Amino acid sequence: MTSLDDVMIEITPQVLLKAYACGIFPMAESADDNALYWIEPERRGILPLDRVHVPRSLARTIRQGGFDVKVDHDFEAVIEGCAAPRAGRRSTWINARIRSLYAELFRLGHCHTVEVWQDERLIGGLYGVHLGRAFFGESMFSTARDASKIALIYLVARLKYGGFELLDTQFVTEHLARFGAIEVGRAQFQRLLEAALYCSNVGKVEGGGAGRGRGFFGAGAGAGAGAGGGAAAAAGAGAGAGADAGACAGAGAGAGAGGGAAGAAVSAGGAASGDAGAAAFCSLPAGATGVEVLQLVSQTSKTGCSTA
């Protein structure tokens, strides 16, 4: 396990996006530890967008409504909710550097929130990173029953509506497994990621442990960097950040199986947020009803770009 400080990388939003494009993400040991660590699990959690299971009781709650779902409305409140202590967890991996980095990604349009409000009060939500046709779930929280679950289902609907190919959950928790989350090996994840970053029928798409891992639903048992591949890959990403063509090529060499291909797709496209063919996160109408959201979640993808 290697921290970002150990390899002397100036972590910037651009470096972070290149790391994500190579299948690597950062985390901290705790909120009090300012160091960040590169993580590349041997087994990666994903939620296949065509096989999302919505429990009947949750579907009933979504149909009944009584809440408002907002997107990108209050990032600070969402990350504060994700970092707050909760039952069974007194500490968090979200430290000051994580807050600062993802706030910058939010300002750049690469980080998004899905928020659940009731009586003008934020009761749950999630945030994650948008890169090409991939969405990388970071964390979610809930202060009222089913609020984080509602946010997840609305996220899936938004991703399907926007033409996304991949929802990365990083790890699989028991909670996520109920929605259909599965584990895939590192090489398979790299293939899925490559397909999400580059789709031949639309052209290029924007490109964009610490002993304890965390799944999309918060803290949980997880794998570390795995054979040092994540650290080496991230070092390559940081070293090449100033030269678009070489950034992820170096990262791919460190990451091992499949990393170079995903990196090459991003290096070719750059990290510009306006590239042709990029999936649209915010295209789902804000007034979509619960029934419409559930219909979207149950539909088979028609994007025409396979992630198999």
Side-chain angles (χ1 to χ4, degrees), residues 14 17 31 54 62 77 94-95 98 112 135 137 142 186 232:
Q14 290 71 30
L17 289 177
V54 184
I62 291 174
I94 299 176
N95 65 9
I98 290 286
H112 297 284
F135 190 88
S142 180
R186 182 183 294 168

Side-chain angles (χ1 to χ4, degrees), residues 111-135:
C111 184
H112 297 284
T113 64
V114 178
E115 309 159 14
V116 181
W117 293 75
Q118 191 172 59
D119 299 328
E120 299 185 356
R121 181 172 64 92
L122 180 65
I123 60 172
L126 60 87
Y127 76 96
V129 174
H130 163 204
L131 193 62
R133 293 177 181 270
F135 190 88

